[in-house]
Amino acid sequence: MAGTQHASVTGMDERTLGRIDLILFDADYRDAKAALEDSWRVAVMASDPRTRAAHERARAAAVGAANHRRDPTAPRIPTSTGLHRAALGVALIAGVVAVALLTTPKTSALALQNAMLPVGLLATLAVGLLYWLEPRRANGSLWGSRVPAVIHLAFGGMWLLAGAGAVAFRWGEVGTFAALPAIAGLTLLGCAGLAALLLGERALRADRSGRQTGIARLTGDLIDQRDAVPVFDALDRWWSTAGPEAMQRSAARVLAVRCEVLARLKAGKLITEPQQRAAARAAEPEKWTERRR
């Protein structure tokens, strides 16, 4: 969304600004009215990351209950925690290091025959983590749309090209008696590359579904979209408690965060300056409900 990454207008800390930007990036507002209505919810969730996590759990529980009514054997709705985001970081680092180890010059202290097995293991670890995280990436709970399917395709392509380059230009460096570990590493690297490409193709379909952003993310995990009404009703009940509690606990902070939200909506040209000033005068929304537009 245009308007993110702008300087704070209230001296807000960088972590809070980052949470605001992350939420607004995937908001997909239809018009100014939708953006203004959602500014209260964004402010509450950005002011305290625990509230945003609680909202995600409430969403998953409501969708899971609706799915269970349709099919008692329906799988649990995946949600993301700090552990899953840390695992994503490990996967990205392992994938990059796997390529870096194969692009070292011949004069490097790490010989190709010694690097191949660690490279294959790192690539296997990376693709395994990405496969495990895919349901969470696909439904937007991992990091919204900021983790696109192209990541899988890029890793798959890089691993296969790096492996092919090692065989074509440097395989002569591998000694006869050290060939088995090198071949094992190369095999693992090739399998990881193919698996990443297959995972990327599946991930592309998830990205095209549009259920990582906007309203679609709230109900994207439903077996039957006709169950959207009870899901929104359940989230309305959650907000009717969570919203007033947030205002009672730290109204000043929520209001300050909302000022930042409104400033970013204006910077993104979603609302006008008069709309921003008028909205900033409100002390609390008339009613706390889930977003529907």
Side-chain angles (χ1 to χ4, degrees):
M1 186 199 104
T4 61
Q5 304 303 328
H6 282 253
S8 170
V9 298
T10 63
M12 192 68 62
D13 62 279
E14 289 297 324
R15 286 189 176 183
T16 303
L17 292 176
R19 289 194 292 270
I20 294 172
D21 289 343
L22 185 62
I23 296 171
L24 293 182
F25 186 84
D26 287 332
D28 291 346
Y29 296 125
R30 291 172 51 188
D31 50 35
K33 184 178 180 182
L36 290 169
E37 289 175 351
D38 201 37
S39 63
W40 284 108
R41 291 181 288 267
V42 174
V44 168
M45 290 191 288
S47 65
D48 187 346
R50 294 171 299 181
T51 304
R52 187 181 178 201
H55 177 265
E56 177 61 16
R57 289 194 297 271
R59 182 199 72 85
V63 173
N67 286 347
H68 188 74
R69 288 192 293 270
R70 293 277 177 185
D71 179 5
T73 63
R76 178 177 170 272
I77 304 301
T79 58
S80 299
T81 65
L83 171 65
H84 299 100
R85 296 182 182 94
L88 175 64
V90 171
L92 297 179
I93 292 171
V96 170
V97 172
V99 176
L101 289 177
L102 285 184
T103 56
T104 55
K106 294 182 179 181
T107 55
S108 171
L110 184 63
L112 179 65
Q113 63 187 24
N114 297 325
M116 283 305 306
L117 185 57
V119 164
L121 292 173
L122 285 170
T124 301
L125 171 64
V127 78
L129 288 173
L130 291 174
Y131 181 86
W132 176 56
L133 294 169
E134 177 54 24
R136 294 168 172 82
R137 188 210 67 84
N139 74 0
S141 67
L142 185 61
W143 208 24
S145 64
R146 295 192 177 191
V147 189
V150 70
I151 288 177
H152 308 325
L153 300 174
F155 273 134
M158 287 192 298
W159 293 337
L160 292 176
L161 286 174
V167 172
F169 302 111
R170 298 187 59 185
W171 197 252
E173 301 173 35
V174 178
T176 303
F177 298 103
L180 186 58
I183 291 172
L186 181 65
T187 302
L188 289 173
L189 181 64
C191 291
L194 292 174
L197 293 180
L198 292 174
L199 181 62
E201 192 276 333
R202 168 184 162 188
L204 280 174
R205 291 199 302 270
D207 285 3
R208 294 190 192 106
S209 72
R211 62 191 183 103
Q212 296 171 327
T213 61
I215 294 297
R217 202 184 95 67
L218 294 172
T219 59
D221 290 311
L222 280 174
I223 293 175
D224 191 324
Q225 289 298 317
R226 290 176 295 180
D227 293 326
V229 172
V231 170
F232 282 115
D233 289 343
L235 291 175
D236 284 345
R237 291 191 293 272
W238 184 86
W239 273 113
S240 68
T241 300
E245 283 182 352
M247 297 301 292
Q248 185 178 8
R249 184 171 60 248
S250 53
R253 175 164 171 76
V254 173
L255 290 171
V257 173
R258 185 167 179 261
C259 285
E260 291 288 350
V261 174
L262 294 172
R264 276 159 158 67
L265 292 174
K266 176 181 171 292
K269 303 186 185 304
L270 284 172
I271 63 174
T272 64
E273 187 172 348
Q275 288 174 321
Q276 177 191 8
R277 289 198 303 267
R281 287 195 289 268
E284 192 170 355
E286 295 180 5
K287 186 178 181 181
W288 288 95
T289 58
E290 183 56 61
R291 177 189 171 192
R292 282 174 168 77
R293 51 180 292 163

